[in-house]
Amino acid sequence: MPASLRFLVTGGAGFIGSAVVRKLIAETSHSVCVVDKLTYAGNMASLASVSGDARFRFEKADIGDGEAMRGVFASFDPDIVMHLAAESHVDRSIDGPAAFIDTNIVGSFVLLQEALRHWRGLDGERRERFRFHHISTDEVFGSLGAEGFFREDTAYQPTSPYSASKAASDHLVRAWQHTYGLPTLVTNCSNNYGPYHFPEKLIPLMIINGLEGKPLPVYGNGANVRDWLYVDDHADALLLVAEKGRPGETYAIGGDNEMANLDVVRTICALLDELRPDPAGPHERLITYVTDRPGHDARYAIDAGKIGRELGWAPKQSFESGLRRTVEWYLANAGWWGDIRSGVYRGERLGAG
Ligand SMILES: NC(=O)c1ccc[n+]([C@@H]2O[C@H](COP(=O)([O-])OP(=O)(O)OC[C@H]3O[C@@H](n4cnc5c(N)ncnc54)[C@H](O)[C@@H]3O)[C@@H](O)[C@H]2O)c1
């Protein structure tokens, strides 16, 4: 395999995409072109550490704009597409599903068509080498009871507009592989957390509200269980799959860190008590129970055995070490989240139904 490949990363200004791009530039000799529409969730500040690199390029564009995508494929000439652009927040999908249909379903379709056109124009080794890697979620599998794990062969049963739109895109990607032979890869992963996470999501919202002495809103009774994956561990897994995964295959990725939401919030409170004590009292006093999310899935958990066996991946961070790093990052980077909190998102409740 050539040492330097050309990676087209959609959604590269988002939370996970920017972690992938920072890793590609800092730890490999590959070149990167980020395609991102810069919605409310896209943030060039998350790419500041790599945007001056000669191997980095940025195109502001909508993946649903076929002409623009054709232009990017023609001029950048990628070897690997990593498709992360999406509307990603379940609560927003409840308030306004249209954007989820447009980007996650129609946008993915347009991108697949342009990837197929590009792949068909490649010769020999480059055609063999080309990959279209679609990054998806474990939410496509629906909800688990107290027992069991999602695996690559778990039946699809999405329940929210977000997860239904991601399920649709997964099906399209597999159909383009099966029907047209496009060499695709699909990964389904659990909840990510870590630095540069948009503060509408549970963990950054709790850290920032806790720092500001604001209520910590826990949905329902806080018993919903999620598996938590540190974003840099996920980025490692994604690069392994993109470079070494078997075309046509799916890999489930999880952190082996199941925890009830209330316990996540309590752990954050304990870390804040230690790292930034509040003279007014322990941070747990700020926990407030609010109306549950409509149709809130009870439990997600992943069996990540396949990617471990086939590609040798395992997460490096435990939930304790990853959460400590995350809280420390938010303490040290108030400028990054302060700009968001004073602008596009002020911490309001979304998706109450
Ligand atoms: N965050 C998680 O816990 C998680 C878990 C599993 C899977 N995923 C999947 O991983 C991917 C990335 O998630 P994230 O948390 O980084 O999301 P994010 O919301 O932080 O970032 C999404 C990025 O996509 C861009 N974007 C949105 N619509 C676009 C469009 N039409 N054209 C071009 N760019 C567009 C946004 O500007 C943003 O930069 C998504 O596909 C998501 O479904 C996320």
Side-chain angles (χ1 to χ4, degrees):
M1 183 177 53
S4 298
L5 297 170
R6 305 170 67 73
F7 280 70
L8 178 60
V9 182
T10 73
F15 169 47
I16 302 171
S18 70
V20 167
V21 172
R22 290 191 303 272
K23 196 170 281 291
L24 277 167
I25 295 294
E27 297 175 19
T28 76
S29 55
H30 302 316
S31 301
V32 178
C33 176
V34 167
V35 168
D36 200 295
K37 184 182 172 182
L38 296 180
T39 67
Y40 80 95
N43 190 344
M44 290 306 285
S46 304
L47 294 168
S49 63
V50 295
S51 57
D53 196 284
R55 289 179 290 120
F56 174 86
R57 172 174 152 187
F58 180 78
E59 298 284 345
K60 184 174 188 302
D62 188 328
I63 55 161
D65 179 344
E67 210 173 307
M69 290 307 103
R70 201 168 306 169
V72 170
F73 274 99
S75 66
F76 184 66
D77 192 19
D79 298 296
I80 295 185
V81 176
M82 295 182 77
H83 175 33
L84 296 103
E87 287 292 336
S88 70
H89 191 33
V90 178
D91 287 343
R92 285 183 194 262
S93 83
I94 295 168
D95 291 341
F100 289 72
I101 308 304
D102 289 345
T103 288
N104 300 359
I105 305 179
V106 182
S108 295
F109 157 71
V110 171
L111 193 69
L112 279 166
Q113 286 291 72
E114 294 310 323
L116 181 61
R117 180 193 303 275
H118 170 73
W119 174 68
R120 282 178 166 162
L122 296 174
D123 321 302
E125 204 185 313
R126 287 205 64 211
R127 191 178 160 106
E128 279 290 303
R129 176 62 259 165
F130 184 81
R131 299 286 183 270
F132 183 100
H133 177 184
H134 177 59
I135 285 77
S136 190
T137 168
D138 61 354
E139 298 189 32
V140 297
F141 302 123
S143 185
L144 288 167
E147 303 287 318
F149 294 91
F150 296 135
R151 298 178 356 165
E152 290 78 4
D153 56 0
T154 301
Y156 274 43
Q157 204 170 2
T159 56
S160 72
Y162 165 67
S163 55
S165 69
K166 290 297 291 187
S169 59
D170 293 10
H171 291 320
L172 290 175
V173 170
R174 294 195 182 100
W176 261 240
Q177 195 266 331
H178 191 80
T179 307
Y180 306 113
L182 186 70
T184 62
L185 297 151
V186 176
T187 49
N188 297 91
C189 80
S190 57
N191 278 28
N192 283 219
Y193 70 100
Y196 300 97
H197 202 183
F198 193 83
E200 65 189 354
K201 302 280 170 80
L202 177 74
I203 288 180
L205 182 67
M206 296 300 147
I207 297 172
I208 295 170
N209 278 13
L211 283 173
E212 294 181 340
K214 292 187 175 150
L216 306 179
V218 171
Y219 290 0
N221 60 5
N224 303 65
V225 172
R226 299 290 180 264
D227 171 55
W228 293 96
L229 174 62
Y230 190 66
V231 67
D232 288 334
D233 283 334
H234 186 206
D236 284 339
L238 294 179
L239 293 188
L240 265 178
V241 170
E243 293 195 62
K244 302 197 172 121
R246 283 185 289 135
E249 290 293 317
T250 296
Y251 298 88
I253 309 172
D256 204 12
N257 281 310
E258 269 186 66
M259 203 179 267
N261 287 345
L262 183 58
D263 293 327
V264 172
V265 178
R266 286 192 171 133
T267 311
I268 292 170
C269 288
L271 280 164
L272 288 175
D273 289 344
E274 177 196 328
L275 298 168
R276 190 66 67 82
D278 183 345
H283 287 87
E284 275 203 29
R285 77 187 193 286
L286 300 170
I287 292 177
T288 313
Y289 296 92
V290 300
T291 315
D292 207 352
R293 168 189 284 167
H296 203 172
D297 289 339
R299 174 173 167 260
Y300 306 143
I302 288 239
D303 173 353
K306 177 176 172 182
I307 186 172
R309 283 189 306 275
E310 291 194 9
L311 302 178
W313 176 84
K316 296 191 182 93
Q317 300 299 328
S318 67
F319 194 58
E320 289 67 30
S321 64
L323 201 55
R324 180 174 289 274
R325 279 170 182 244
T326 305
V327 172
E328 286 171 347
W329 187 87
Y330 278 86
L331 288 174
N333 289 279
W336 183 87
W337 54 264
D339 286 348
I340 295 171
R341 287 278 276 212
S342 59
V344 290
Y345 176 67
R346 294 164 196 267
E348 62 273 16
R349 172 74 196 264
L350 301 167

